[in-house]
Amino acid sequence: MSARKRTVEEADVLVLFGATGDLAKKKLFPALYSMAKHDSLNCDVVGVASTKWDHEQFVAHAVEAIGKVFPNPDPKIIAELDAELSLVVGDYSQDKLYEDLADVLKDKKNPVIYLAIPPAFFGNVTKGLARVGLTERCRLVVEKPFGRDLQSAIRLQDELEEVLSEDRIFRIDHYLGKESVEDILVFRFANSIWEPLWNHRYINSIQITMAEDFGVEGRGAFYDGVGATRDVLQNHLLQVLALIAMEPPADLSSQNMEDEKLKVFRAIAALHPENVVRGQYVGYLEEAGVAPESTTETYTAATLHVDNWRWAGVPFYVRTGKALAESTLEVIVEFKQPPRMLFAESQAGSPNLLRFRLGKRDGVDIELQAKSPGDSLSTEPVKLTVEFSAALGERQEAYERLLRAAIAGDHMRFTRIDSVLETWRIVEGVINNEARLFPYFKGSWGPDRAEELTPNGWLEL
Ligand code: BG6
């Protein structure tokens, strides 16, 4: 039976904890500008920070952040934002901050409170909000990572649950806000041509790559305590994998969607160090904030299996890393060879490939075999390519869509606690540096050792 839709009221104010921080600067202010531009920012925005700025300084900071992403912002929209923004300053560990905030929000019925702060503060801030009664009527948005392993995620959930019901908690994995990632669902379930092929009978392997061509970029102190497995594999890569592997949901309600993703996570065995290659780029130890003998990985590759009827025997290879040859986010589906090779050797070793490009310039490529020119009946690969921005127009940024969803109270683009705990279970055996660490050079594709995970190598298209 499909989940009943609950009527949820739009939020009347958005509160941003960490308003002077990095995430607000890079993602949230540009998202707010974009929402205002699309006429979809219909509530006040209250920043909360410990930095002692006045209104002018705060707005100047927001405008500068917006200017980095939108070089010529519309002055009318900036003036609108100026009128909507305010700042509450105080110490997160003191009651006074929460009392001041409660006072600012006294006429608001449905605040959305976004914790864009380090996870270590989540518990205390939530308690502070509870003391002034705000958790009784707010929705709370928490940034990833949700915990740093299974036990800490359970503890954090217990702390949140003491003061908030699950339907008021919105856990961010910003990949779920990416239109390109959502397109995986549309591609699979709005077209009937793929479903007959989407299983172990026709698919040989699936490869998921999230590569960045830059290092830790000033985030060394944070990143060194986290590493690539916790930063990207446990969340972004497993979420993408779930969308590729899940069964069609009964409908698009967040409950039915999450139920299907959960079944995928439950079918994945916990990772073992033998199936994981960790790497660290040469030069990482000299980055500011990184411990001199750190064994934190800046690269992880792993082989996973979804042990269910559809995917039995199909390896899912996933990899992510910093300071690699290029920035890319993609999934390559490698189909099986035809049962009998009719044509010349050229076809052997060239299975059909389907690539989802999920990063910038997202789209889909399909590699097919075509007849080579000339007398012989030999084949060569050709590529069919769709670039979605050219075909369909401009995409919206993930954070804009996530803020709108939180304001609307729609859970569809957020993660549910049972799934989060399952993903921690999957990585639990490899997050404390159990697998060997291999060095790699900046600008490479990571340690050579990672090539050994995949019998046909990491595919290109
Ligand atoms: C974040 C990670 O969650 O995702 C960063 O903490 C990473 O390390 C970022 O750079 C990548 O996001 P995107 O949207 O650029 O792929």
Side-chain angles (χ1 to χ4, degrees):
M1 211 200 333
S2 71
R4 236 202 248 137
K5 273 224 153 158
R6 204 166 57 86
T7 324
V8 184
E9 274 187 60
E10 286 262 319
D12 47 4
V13 61
L14 172 65
V15 180
L16 298 180
F17 272 74
T20 56
D22 209 41
L23 183 76
K25 184 160 98 191
K26 288 198 180 126
K27 299 287 186 189
L28 301 179
F29 289 123
L32 291 175
Y33 173 81
S34 212
M35 286 167 76
K37 202 168 105 189
H38 293 130
D39 233 354
S40 60
L41 181 63
N42 303 318
C43 63
D44 290 338
V45 180
V46 177
V48 180
S50 48
T51 314
K52 293 193 176 83
W53 281 347
D54 60 18
H55 179 79
E56 278 67 41
Q57 283 169 306
F58 181 48
V59 172
H61 170 79
V63 172
E64 195 191 326
I66 292 166
K68 292 244 160 68
V69 179
F70 302 99
N72 296 307
D74 180 340
K76 228 177 87 211
I77 296 176
I78 297 290
E80 264 173 53
L81 280 178
D82 187 346
E84 272 156 4
L85 284 177
S86 61
L87 184 67
V88 175
V89 171
D91 183 335
Y92 293 168
S93 64
Q94 301 293 316
D95 285 350
K96 169 131 185 8
L97 172 72
Y98 303 96
E99 286 155 13
D100 289 350
L101 181 63
D103 194 40
V104 169
L105 302 183
K106 63 179 183 302
D107 298 327
K108 303 292 185 188
K109 282 208 278 274
N110 288 309
V112 164
I113 302 184
Y114 191 131
L115 304 188
I117 51 177
F121 292 105
F122 287 174
N124 276 343
V125 169
T126 318
K127 283 191 190 113
L129 294 171
R131 277 197 296 277
V132 294
L134 278 171
T135 46
E136 281 157 30
R137 62 183 207 275
C138 79
R139 289 177 207 137
L140 193 74
V141 182
V142 287
E143 258 299 328
K144 72 161 259 280
F146 193 87
R148 53 175 286 106
D149 54 20
L150 184 56
Q151 282 314 313
S152 58
I154 293 173
R155 269 200 307 278
L156 173 58
Q157 177 65 13
D158 287 348
E159 279 181 330
L160 296 184
E161 260 176 14
E162 268 176 38
V163 292
L164 283 156
S165 52
E166 175 68 12
D167 65 334
R168 292 183 179 276
I169 305 172
F170 290 72
R171 293 175 204 80
I172 293 249
D173 180 320
H174 78 275
Y175 274 38
L176 297 181
K178 285 182 189 274
E179 294 202 62
S180 58
V181 170
E182 256 174 19
D183 180 65
I184 296 173
L185 281 177
V186 178
F187 187 91
R188 288 191 55 203
F189 302 133
N191 299 298
S192 55
I193 56 175
W194 302 111
E195 175 54 22
L197 306 176
W198 214 254
N199 56 58
H200 65 96
R201 281 185 286 279
Y202 292 97
I203 291 178
N204 203 34
S205 76
I206 297 204
Q207 301 194 352
I208 306 177
T209 299
M210 187 287 210
E212 293 178 313
D213 65 2
F214 48 86
V216 291
E217 288 202 314
R219 294 166 77 220
F222 159 78
Y223 191 87
D224 205 36
V226 177
T229 308
R230 283 191 174 93
D231 191 38
V232 174
L233 196 161
Q234 176 265 339
N235 36 77
H236 303 330
L237 292 189
L238 287 180
Q239 289 292 334
V240 170
L241 187 155
L243 294 173
I244 292 284
M246 69 192 250
E247 297 301 316
D251 59 29
L252 291 179
S253 66
S254 59
Q255 184 183 334
N256 284 333
M257 288 277 298
E258 278 301 303
D259 284 351
E260 293 307 333
K261 285 200 279 169
L262 180 64
K263 285 188 213 157
V264 174
F265 296 136
R266 285 192 175 146
I268 300 177
L271 275 170
H272 188 273
E274 266 173 25
N275 301 325
V276 172
V277 173
R278 296 190 316 126
Q280 188 185 77
Y281 65 81
V282 176
Y284 173 71
L285 298 180
E286 281 78 60
E287 300 274 11
V290 169
E293 294 183 1
S294 169
T295 55
T296 297
E297 77 285 352
T298 58
Y299 174 99
T300 308
T303 310
L304 298 137
H305 284 96
V306 180
D307 289 320
N308 62 15
W309 193 285
R310 187 187 282 266
W311 294 112
V314 180
F316 285 71
Y317 303 111
V318 299
R319 61 177 171 167
T320 181
K322 300 227 177 252
L324 296 178
E326 56 184 82
S327 288
T328 181
L329 173 60
E330 63 179 39
V331 179
I332 296 187
V333 180
E334 179 195 17
F335 289 91
K336 289 193 168 159
Q337 300 273 14
R340 189 166 162 254
M341 295 297 201
L342 278 179
F343 305 102
E345 305 83 63
S346 55
Q347 190 189 343
S350 296
N352 295 131
L353 301 178
L354 163 65
R355 174 167 72 163
F356 296 92
R357 279 181 280 115
L358 306 175
K360 294 207 167 68
R361 298 180 49 237
D362 64 309
V364 168
D365 309 298
I366 301 174
E367 192 173 273
L368 301 169
Q369 297 296 321
K371 189 192 144 333
S372 308
D375 288 342
S376 80
L377 262 178
S378 61
T379 74
E380 58 188 278
V382 289
K383 195 153 93 178
L384 307 181
T385 288
V386 186
E387 204 146 297
F388 288 141
S389 60
L392 303 168
E394 198 196 330
R395 298 287 208 197
Q396 290 183 5
E397 271 297 312
Y399 274 95
E400 174 178 356
R401 306 178 75 232
L402 292 172
L403 284 179
R404 231 185 344 254
I407 287 171
D410 180 358
H411 273 93
M412 153 99 166
R413 300 190 172 114
F414 298 87
T415 58
R416 203 170 64 190
I417 186 60
D418 43 9
S419 286
V420 172
L421 298 183
E422 280 297 318
T423 55
W424 280 121
R425 175 195 60 76
I426 293 167
V427 299
E428 191 75 354
V430 296
I431 44 180
N432 292 317
N433 303 359
E434 290 85 351
R436 261 181 75 195
L437 187 68
F438 298 90
Y440 63 95
F441 288 110
K442 283 186 187 173
S444 70
W445 272 111
D448 293 343
R449 188 56 176 261
E451 296 295 321
E452 291 169 24
L453 282 180
T454 55
N456 301 336
W458 292 93
L459 300 164
E460 277 176 46
L461 192 154

